[in-house]
Amino acid sequence: MATGLTLSEQFFRDQAASAATGDLSTVLNRVSLAARMLAAEIMRAGFVGRLGLTGDRNVQGEQVRELDIISNDIISQVMDHAPMIAGIGSEELEDVYAMDGSENGKYVLTIDPLDGSGNVDVDGALGTIFGIYRRPAHRAGEPAAAQDVLQPGRELVAAGYVLYGPSTMFVYSAGNGVHGFTLDRSIGTFFLTHPDIRIPEGTGSYAVNEANEIDWEDPVRDMVATFRRQESRCGKRQARYTGALVADVHRILLKGGVFMYPPTATKPEGKLRLLYENAPLGFVVVNAGGAATDGRTDVLDITPTELHQRTPLYIGSSGDVAEVRRLLHGS
Ligand code: FDP
């Protein structure tokens, strides 16, 4: 007899605490709907001429692609009229977007709508990263603002990512394990395919943009050389770097290893954004038994002071991240 298939909607509902109102499941369902819409847009983008640059730059000063705009619009549309979501902090928006009529919403969403957009032109993997925070109670009734979102990753209620690769995967944690779903494109449904993911130890790859070596500080250069020469205590590692953070972290979540984006001379805080990338991915990886640090502090313990704040990132198997700390700072 065939084994049962678990739909994402059913899983989100079953995982919620019995006293839950269903609001968190609703938010997760909406994120997964946005993911399905985005997967379809990405698939079509090449032949409807939507791969190019718009000519604008975003708040980070990076070139904006049509797909960046499309993905941000999809997220806003899908979250509109969801009264439990007071606002959205997006990597594409300068300020928090307060949802009309949702001043009493209990959650705020952080989102990197299209991660790895440099891969758009070459049909490489792309991602979406999201985090869901509870709003401070005293903010009820006010339009959402930055202070609702400026919370440490430890306060995340749920976080996850979508990987648009050969298949589309939705991976999330609500603090109770990490679970992965694969999209059946023919019927537009996510099925549970990877329950209770645990990040392996002692295997896998290291992922870092080694072309930045010239801009690294000596301890970083020495550390990466230690990995490259297979001299780290972690054991033998392959080098893998896709240019899409979600794809690299997903591989490491399933196979083990460590992803690194160290500070460089031109980017002393690294490139990646704490609220939109590092904290939500840190939440997922830590809930799978791994670790995430900026080199000294656990990523989940850093309280952001700015919406678009960047921090260095070392994320992956606990043993590998411990080795990074040891090689960088001796502890
Ligand atoms: P992208 O700029 O293409 O969107 O944070 C964005 C990100 O990609 C990550 O997905 C990726 O890991 C990293 O930047 C790649 O940066 P480098 O090209 O500097 O290695």
Side-chain angles (χ1 to χ4, degrees):
M1 199 165 98
T3 53
L5 293 171
T6 305
L7 277 69
S8 55
E9 291 86 343
Q10 174 194 342
F11 190 86
F12 299 155
R13 208 175 41 237
D14 292 352
Q15 284 277 303
S18 54
T21 57
D23 284 351
L24 181 61
S25 313
T26 302
V27 180
L28 290 167
N29 281 326
R30 292 209 176 198
V31 176
S32 90
L33 171 62
R36 280 171 276 167
M37 292 167 70
L38 249 161
E41 286 293 339
I42 290 167
M43 202 174 65
R44 279 196 294 261
F47 52 83
V48 294
R50 286 181 164 174
L51 288 181
L53 300 169
T54 61
D56 295 332
R57 288 185 179 267
N58 67 11
V59 282
Q60 329 278 334
E62 297 157 344
Q63 293 193 314
V64 176
R65 285 163 202 278
E66 278 203 53
L67 269 179
D68 285 318
I69 304 289
I70 293 169
S71 45
N72 197 61
D73 287 351
I74 287 178
I75 303 287
S76 321
Q77 280 163 7
V78 167
M79 296 300 159
D80 213 9
H81 306 300
M84 72 290 293
I85 303 173
I88 302 175
S90 167
E91 198 222 82
E92 294 299 325
L93 303 176
E94 190 153 2
D95 292 317
V96 165
Y97 175 66
M99 310 297 284
D100 244 358
S102 294
E103 292 76 14
N104 285 312
K106 66 179 174 205
Y107 295 120
V108 280
L109 182 74
T110 61
I111 195 122
D112 178 356
L114 196 67
D115 173 68
S117 53
N119 274 357
V120 161
D121 300 338
V122 296
D123 227 350
L126 297 165
T128 296
I129 307 171
F130 67 92
I132 302 166
Y133 290 92
R134 200 180 298 279
R135 274 182 106 191
H138 70 270
R139 295 275 306 140
E142 299 290 331
Q147 65 212 84
D148 296 314
V149 169
L150 295 174
Q151 303 190 45
R154 283 261 169 244
E155 298 299 328
L156 279 159
V157 174
Y161 61 82
V162 185
L163 171 63
Y164 310 98
S167 60
T168 297
M169 282 204 68
F170 181 99
V171 177
Y172 90 109
S173 176
N176 184 11
V178 176
H179 312 286
F181 302 80
T182 304
L183 180 65
D184 181 335
R185 281 182 214 263
S186 59
I187 54 171
T189 303
F190 277 111
F191 289 108
L192 180 66
T193 49
H194 296 62
D196 288 317
I197 299 171
R198 301 298 295 171
I199 187 166
E201 292 289 334
T203 60
S205 53
Y206 73 91
V208 67
N209 186 343
E210 300 207 43
N212 289 335
E213 178 165 8
I214 193 162
D215 283 335
W216 289 336
E217 290 170 353
D218 288 344
V220 172
R221 196 174 295 124
D222 294 345
M223 172 186 70
V224 175
T226 306
F227 275 95
R228 192 187 307 128
R229 290 196 301 261
Q230 309 292 353
E231 289 171 1
S232 88
R233 288 184 191 168
C234 303
K236 185 155 169 36
R237 291 282 176 273
Q238 303 290 330
R240 293 282 184 275
Y241 192 75
T242 66
L245 175 64
V246 165
D248 284 318
V249 168
H250 183 69
R251 185 189 57 253
I252 287 166
L253 189 68
L254 298 186
K255 303 227 172 209
V258 61
F259 174 95
M260 313 181 240
Y261 209 110
T264 66
T266 48
K267 299 185 186 99
E269 302 305 327
K271 177 180 183 189
L272 304 175
R273 281 135 289 212
L274 177 58
L275 265 174
Y276 307 118
E277 297 173 306
N278 305 358
L281 292 179
F283 187 83
V284 170
V285 166
V286 166
N287 273 289
T293 174
D294 69 355
R296 289 190 185 276
T297 308
D298 285 356
V299 160
L300 299 184
D301 289 331
I302 307 173
T303 304
T305 52
E306 288 167 32
L307 288 175
H308 295 280
Q309 182 172 336
R310 298 168 196 260
T311 67
L313 180 65
Y314 307 92
I315 184 169
S317 306
S318 291
D320 291 49
V321 174
E323 176 70 339
V324 165
R325 280 182 202 258
R326 189 185 70 79
L327 291 169
L328 286 180
H329 306 295
S331 65

